[in-house]
Amino acid sequence: MGIQLGMITIDCADPRGLATFWTKALGVEVDQDYEGEFLILHPAAEGGPVFAFQRVPEPRAGKNRVHVDFGTDDREKEVVRLTGLGAKKLDEHGMPGLTWTVLADPEGNEFCVATQQR
């Protein structure tokens, strides 16, 4: 027996509002809505990661201990698109062969968008 990834759940103050950002960012739809308290998005691809958003009473504090990384062939274009949807650009980093931009969603949850140079 082993474990497998079931879903990535993000704590937030407004699950429906945050789901609106992420459905547009990922090009998916809400699959399940439990009275606005817990929402599950439909995965972008069969067997792909599932994102969920759950209401919590406390605000986000400090830096994320875990974040999601996305890859793309055109990082700059995606950063412009995501900031247009409401993300905030926080920083850019690079090392030989890899460049990434750190962003925050509308509730401040950090994620990265990277381009790998080959």
Side-chain angles (χ1 to χ4, degrees):
M1 296 265 329
I3 62 171
Q4 56 185 320
L5 180 62
M7 123 177 43
I8 299 164
T9 302
I10 299 173
D11 292 349
C12 57
D14 179 13
R16 284 187 177 143
L18 200 53
T20 297
F21 168 80
W22 282 104
T23 57
K24 291 176 183 172
L26 299 172
V28 299
E29 296 180 0
V30 172
D31 190 43
Q32 299 169 56
D33 183 339
Y34 296 91
E35 299 179 0
E37 297 297 310
F38 187 75
L39 284 86
I40 301 172
L41 303 186
H42 189 77
E46 184 70 31
V50 175
F51 285 87
F53 307 94
Q54 71 180 356
R55 186 180 312 278
V56 296
E58 68 278 351
R60 183 179 160 270
K63 185 179 182 302
N64 293 13
R65 297 298 290 182
V66 175
H67 67 265
V68 180
D69 292 327
F70 297 96
T72 181
D73 291 332
D74 193 340
R75 181 182 51 85
E76 292 159 349
K77 178 180 176 183
E78 284 301 308
V79 168
V80 168
R81 184 179 74 83
L82 293 164
T83 55
L85 293 174
K88 180 179 177 185
K89 183 177 172 182
L90 301 178
D91 209 350
E92 285 195 19
H93 299 279
M95 61 179 58
L98 183 65
T99 304
W100 67 96
T101 302
V102 181
L103 298 145
D105 71 18
E107 287 208 17
N109 301 296
E110 295 175 18
F111 64 99
C112 294
V113 175
T115 301
Q116 192 171 19
Q117 292 82 34
R118 297 168 200 232

